[in-house]
Amino acid sequence: MNEFRSSAAGDYDYLIKLLVLGDSGVGKTSFLVRYVDDRFCDRFLSTVGIDFKEKRITKNRKRLRLQLWDTAGQERFRSLATAFFRNAMGFILVYDITNRQSFVNIRDWLEQLRTHSYSYEPLAILVGNKTDLHLERSIEKSDGERLATKCGMNYIETSAKSGENVREAVDILLDLVWDKMMKTIPAVGDPLLHSLVAVEDDGRTSRQTELESGNGKRCCYS
Ligand code: GTP
């Protein structure tokens, strides 16, 4: 048996934790609700602290248990949110294409990510949300693409309201995480493999890989 597989109970092969971050109101919760439950709510109920949703999917004939962590964008919850960065394997950075400040603040979120996640260059995707509001757009798609390229990320525009590209965004990040896992897991002595952590999961013991890449520093800001 492959000891890095996750489920002692046998109902999934790998546990993958992704985390969504960005300013309050950009649509992080809505994005996750669309992805997991395929629905949308117009009401704005700001996330308090941190929350998560789960979804089971199959990838390359392996059963994945996805844990999608939803952080609060409000400043007062910042330190609580960053405490969860360390355990996530991939990150979805979200801004609102109609809100310039949320785009400007992506640089701060990225700095937070680099400080508190497993690596200075964590696996992340930049998402410009609310494309259904294209008439109110204040950030051009090319600006989003340029920032993402500078920062070594993929870029995609989504609408949690219409559902456009939401699944595609998660799939892009999952591909990156999957590739890294497949490269890392077999190599026990590899420096990329930071540690293997046994976690208690609903009373069952499972294993979660914590990945750590090199500490080479690279700044994307010009
Ligand atoms: P915090 O929990 O405070 O960090 O906010 P959040 O980023 O989770 O935002 P949330 O998902 O709660 O959405 C904020 C508001 O934007 C809500 O009124 C949503 O209905 C709306 N919203 C989210 N995504 C979209 C979208 O794609 N299009 C439109 N038109 N509205 C959206």
Side-chain angles (χ1 to χ4, degrees), residues 7 16 43 57 82 88 97 132 140 159-160 173 177 187 210-211 216:
S7 170
I16 293 183
R43 269 185 311 148
I57 61 164
T82 55
I97 64 158
D132 58 287
E140 292 307 318
S159 167
L173 182 58
V177 170
E210 241 182 56
L211 310 176

Side-chain angles (χ1 to χ4, degrees), residues 22-31 40-48 70-74 129-133 158-162:
D23 279 8
S24 179
V26 297
K28 299 180 296 298
T29 303
S30 305
F31 178 96
F40 177 76
C41 174
D42 263 318
R43 269 185 311 148
F44 182 10
L45 287 173
S46 214
T47 303
V48 175
D70 181 13
T71 60
Q74 288 179 30
N129 188 41
K130 305 196 185 181
T131 49
D132 58 287
L133 299 179
T158 64
S159 167
K161 185 167 186 170
S162 73

Side-chain angles (χ1 to χ4, degrees), residues 209-222:
T209 57
E210 241 182 56
L211 310 176
E212 183 164 276
S213 68
N215 58 1
K217 304 233 166 189
R218 182 166 71 87
C219 183
C220 70
Y221 306 152
S222 57

Side-chain angles (χ1 to χ4, degrees), residues 117-184:
S117 77
Y118 60 83
S119 162
Y120 192 75
E121 292 185 329
L123 299 176
I125 182 170
L126 181 62
V127 169
N129 188 41
K130 305 196 185 181
T131 49
D132 58 287
L133 299 179
H134 56 93
L135 295 178
E136 297 164 42
R137 179 190 279 276
S138 61
I139 301 296
E140 292 307 318
K141 188 174 181 185
S142 55
D143 293 331
E145 285 169 340
R146 201 171 306 119
L147 178 64
T149 303
K150 262 191 208 169
C151 300
M153 293 186 282
N154 284 87
Y155 177 72
I156 191 165
E157 292 196 337
T158 64
S159 167
K161 185 167 186 170
S162 73
E164 183 191 19
N165 279 344
V166 169
R167 208 189 66 219
E168 287 79 355
V170 177
D171 284 348
I172 291 170
L173 182 58
L174 266 179
D175 282 347
L176 297 173
V177 170
W178 180 264
D179 287 350
K180 186 162 186 173
M181 265 174 60
M182 290 305 110
K183 280 186 197 137
T184 308

